[in-house]
Amino acid sequence: MEQSRLGRVSSMMRSCCSYSTLKTWLPILSWLPGYRLKWLQMDLLAGLTVGLTAIPQTLAYAEVAGLPVQYGLYSAFMGGFIYTFLGTSKDVTIGPTAIMSLLCFSVVGGQPHRAALLALLCGLIQTVMALLRLGFLLDFISYPVIKGFTCASAITIAVSQIKNILGLRGIPQQFFLAVYYTFSRIPEARVGDVVLGLICLALLVSLMVMKMYISSDDPPPSLCSKVSRKLVWSVATMRNALVVLAASAVSYSLDSRGYHVFTITGETPSGLPPFQPPPTTDTTANGTVVSFVEIVKGFGGGLAVIPLMGLLESIAIAKAFASQNNYRINVNQELLAIGVTNTLGSFVSAYPVTGSFGRTAVNSQTGVCTPAGGVIMGTIVLVSLRFLMPALYYIPKASLGAVIICAVTPMCDLRILAKMWRISKLDLLSFGVTFLLSFWEVQYGIIGGVATSGALLLYNMARPQIKVSDHGMLVIELGSGLSFPATEYLSDIIHTQALQVSPPRSVVLDCRHVSVIDYSVVSELRDLLRQFKLQDQELVFSGLRPSVLVVLLAADLQGIKYSDSVEAALQRQNFLND
């Protein structure tokens, strides 16, 4: 007996420590042993392209988060290294995104120390979720809620950047106040910022449209056309970096001649961020020390919303590109990769990050072969932090605002409303609640949307489709499963249609679609059987699945009758009547 127990323990230990288990936790072991030189060439090209795309984007997203621009770069490099070891998608790139930046600002209000602490706590929550295999919780956030939140976030972010296009300062961050004060202060706009911002917007939109046209599947007719298309595609792909670089050159040229035409980023600290845990206390301007508990209380619902939205955004992107490129991902491993990235990222002053759709698309289109492209991207960001920070001084804020507006505009796809109207009008309720509440506070939008879609889900469970037909006996067909919230509804229909009429009638309950029943359902069925017996009528169950029949028999229901099909039940009743 003791030897058998020891044998099982030994077998479990060998299973936990096996190479296949190690590969599950470290996916890099699945592709690194077979790494090829051709893959290295493609990964280098993809990493370089994504790195040049990431630098201006992350600088701009730091503005959305209300943080100094260097914090965008602090948050951009850790994901590339961690995901190479832990990620299961070759395409996904992790870093700051518009939605996570907006959520971060709504929770910490642009305080760098608290943003890093938020990243640490979110990372720990996400890591625990991965270890406990809790990825299924994301399934409770419905698609209309996601789209409502995404559309509202895109509008909020775009509106928040109009002030940079106009060169205005002191505009509140709350959406409705931002709209009011931005448009009321248009006469104060700086001409230089407006002109530069509009030019940057025009260039970015033009390059975006050019890329859409050359991305068609029609093969180029000649080598010259192929080269020119590739050149245009490369310029259009790196449009953010090129536009910001050109705007910075113009700004530097004018500033060096004494013409201070644009609102510029200003001086930013050079060098890499120190590797240290984020502070767990804070001090206000008047010297009051804020404890860790008070800070966490201040985060409020953001500690639930941000980890879930980060996971949802990244996994949705990973699934989309896995389907497009014919491979599979491991959802819980993706949770672990995001969680570890945020946890370690907090040690370099990063704020919460997730998968970026735009940079992932660039990564995929450039032909990345393995997650190693993230190492190249992370290295480029580190080199920028170490050597190029003084050059950020002259970046006009209008150019960063243009980059953000062009990045978030495609997220607001209101065509989804027409599709929802055609397919399921009730989904518009979840979309509308999420969309409208998100303009008040983004986390309230998510909470309200999830609550609304949850209420609709519970309503459908409590009011399943029930079809009643007369075949001599009443046949009541359950169009979906039977759970305890629906028992009272079913009981009311049976009483109204069969037991409270004169004379009372027998019923065949078609249970083909019932796969699970619980104690509450069994209790209600016991009471119904008793009522039918008192009325000298029958309640016959048909089409019971084996698992359901076992439960009903185990419940020892008095007078239970069942048949294989509705037809068999009706034939039996006709035979008894004859």
Side-chain angles (χ1 to χ4, degrees):
M1 182 71 176
E2 188 66 27
Q3 288 182 345
S4 176
R5 186 181 297 117
L6 289 174
R8 287 197 298 270
V9 171
S10 176
S11 176
M12 290 175 59
M13 291 295 292
R14 284 196 302 269
S15 175
C16 291
C17 300
S18 66
Y19 184 68
S20 61
T21 303
L22 190 60
K23 283 200 300 184
T24 301
W25 291 102
L26 285 174
I28 188 175
L29 298 177
S30 300
W31 55 264
L32 186 60
Y35 199 77
R36 304 172 187 172
L37 180 61
K38 182 181 179 181
W39 294 357
L40 177 61
Q41 295 171 348
M42 298 306 297
D43 288 346
L44 281 170
L45 176 62
L48 177 64
T49 306
V50 174
L52 293 176
T53 304
I55 291 172
Q57 268 197 346
T58 54
L59 293 173
Y61 288 149
E63 288 269 336
V64 176
L67 302 171
V69 292
Q70 67 269 21
Y71 283 89
L73 295 179
Y74 293 167
S75 307
F77 65 85
M78 186 63 76
F81 296 107
I82 299 299
Y83 196 83
T84 298
F85 287 88
L86 299 179
T88 58
S89 168
K90 71 179 182 66
D91 299 300
V92 168
T93 62
I94 296 178
T97 66
I99 288 178
M100 293 301 285
S101 300
L102 179 64
L103 285 170
C104 180
F105 177 80
S106 70
V107 173
V108 302
Q111 301 178 68
H113 295 323
R114 295 194 182 189
L117 181 60
L118 178 64
L120 174 63
L121 296 177
C122 289
L124 292 175
I125 291 170
Q126 291 165 332
T127 302
V128 170
M129 288 180 65
L131 296 176
L132 296 179
R133 299 292 192 260
L134 296 179
F136 70 91
L137 292 176
L138 303 178
D139 298 337
F140 288 93
I141 303 179
S142 66
Y143 186 74
V145 172
I146 297 169
K147 292 304 294 183
F149 171 72
T150 302
C151 290
S153 297
I155 295 172
T156 301
I157 292 168
V159 167
S160 73
Q161 294 307 305
I162 294 176
K163 67 178 186 292
N164 287 330
I165 300 292
L166 299 178
L168 300 176
R169 297 182 180 181
I171 301 296
Q173 292 290 339
Q174 206 279 334
F175 177 77
F176 297 106
L177 293 177
V179 172
Y180 174 77
Y181 283 104
T182 297
F183 288 98
S184 66
R185 292 177 56 187
I186 284 180
E188 303 174 26
R190 296 174 53 130
V191 176
D193 286 317
V194 173
V195 172
L196 180 65
L198 294 177
I199 291 174
C200 289
L201 281 172
L203 286 172
L204 288 168
V205 171
S206 300
L207 290 170
M208 190 186 307
V209 172
M210 288 172 62
K211 184 177 179 181
M212 290 170 57
Y213 275 108
I214 66 170
S215 296
S216 63
D217 295 330
D218 298 330
S222 65
L223 178 62
C224 182
S225 297
K226 183 177 180 180
V227 172
S228 62
R229 284 164 63 95
K230 192 69 175 177
L231 179 61
V232 173
W233 182 87
S234 301
V235 171
T237 298
M238 293 185 285
R239 59 187 178 273
N240 292 333
L242 295 175
V243 167
V244 171
L245 184 63
S248 301
V250 172
S251 174
Y252 172 76
S253 177
L254 293 174
D255 198 83
S256 62
R257 290 173 170 80
Y259 299 106
H260 305 295
V261 179
F262 309 123
T263 304
I264 58 177
T265 300
E267 191 168 350
T268 54
S270 298
L272 303 178
F275 189 84
Q276 59 187 18
T280 54
T281 59
D282 203 359
T283 304
T284 61
N286 60 7
T288 304
V289 176
V290 184
S291 68
F292 173 75
V293 174
E294 291 174 317
I295 293 175
V296 172
K297 286 182 179 178
F299 290 162
L303 271 181
V305 171
I306 292 180
L308 287 176
M309 285 308 300
L311 296 174
L312 191 68
E313 189 175 359
S314 187
I315 289 171
I317 292 168
K319 284 184 175 180
F321 282 89
S323 174
Q324 176 181 311
N325 296 320
N326 300 315
Y327 62 87
R328 293 186 62 80
I329 64 164
N330 183 324
V331 171
N332 282 300
Q333 188 64 28
E334 291 294 304
L335 302 189
L336 182 64
I338 299 291
V340 173
T341 294
N342 278 320
T343 301
L344 293 181
S346 69
F347 284 70
V348 290
S349 302
Y351 66 88
V353 298
T354 187
S356 163
F357 185 86
R359 295 192 294 276
T360 297
V362 170
N363 205 28
S364 178
Q365 292 167 4
T366 312
V368 70
C369 295
T370 70
V375 174
I376 311 302
M377 185 273 292
T379 302
I380 290 174
V381 175
L382 286 174
V383 170
S384 301
L385 280 168
R386 181 65 182 85
F387 299 107
L388 302 181
M389 293 303 284
L392 304 183
Y393 180 92
Y394 293 101
I395 295 180
K397 289 194 172 184
S399 65
L400 295 180
V403 167
I404 293 174
I405 290 174
C406 286
V408 301
T409 299
M411 293 163 49
C412 187
D413 183 11
L414 295 178
R415 291 174 299 180
I416 191 69
L417 294 175
K419 295 179 182 178
M420 289 183 193
W421 179 262
R422 291 196 304 269
I423 297 171
S424 175
K425 294 179 177 60
L426 271 179
D427 283 337
L428 288 171
L429 181 60
S430 299
F431 178 94
V433 169
T434 307
F435 183 79
L436 295 176
L437 284 180
S438 292
F439 291 119
W440 177 25
E441 286 287 347
V442 285
Q443 60 264 42
Y444 294 163
I446 291 290
I447 295 170
V450 170
T452 303
S453 58
L456 293 175
L457 177 64
L458 291 175
Y459 179 81
N460 289 330
M461 292 174 61
R463 295 293 182 269
Q465 292 182 349
I466 295 178
K467 180 181 178 182
V468 180
S469 56
D470 192 344
H471 297 273
M473 294 177 71
L474 281 183
V475 177
I476 297 180
E477 179 185 348
L478 298 170
S480 58
L482 181 62
S483 54
F484 72 87
T487 54
E488 189 65 30
Y489 178 59
L490 175 63
S491 180
D492 287 343
I493 290 178
I494 291 176
H495 276 82
T496 303
Q497 302 277 353
L499 295 175
Q500 294 178 357
V501 298
S502 182
R505 306 186 63 183
S506 296
V507 169
V508 177
L509 191 59
D510 187 353
C511 300
R512 286 175 296 168
H513 302 296
V514 178
S515 58
V516 177
I517 60 174
D518 56 25
Y519 184 81
S520 299
V521 174
V522 171
S523 297
E524 187 65 33
L525 293 177
R526 177 181 282 110
D527 184 64
L528 284 172
L529 287 168
R530 185 175 60 82
Q531 295 290 334
F532 274 93
K533 185 176 181 181
L534 290 174
Q535 299 276 10
D536 197 25
Q537 299 296 321
E538 288 188 338
L539 174 61
V540 182
F541 300 90
S542 72
L544 290 170
R545 298 188 180 186
S547 58
V548 176
L549 181 58
V550 167
V551 173
L552 292 178
L553 293 177
D556 195 23
L557 299 177
Q558 297 295 321
I560 183 172
K561 295 181 176 65
Y562 54 91
S563 64
D564 293 335
S565 65
V566 172
E567 291 76 12
L570 294 175
Q571 289 176 2
R572 175 181 174 276
Q573 185 65 22
N574 291 334
F575 177 77
L576 292 176
N577 291 338
D578 293 341

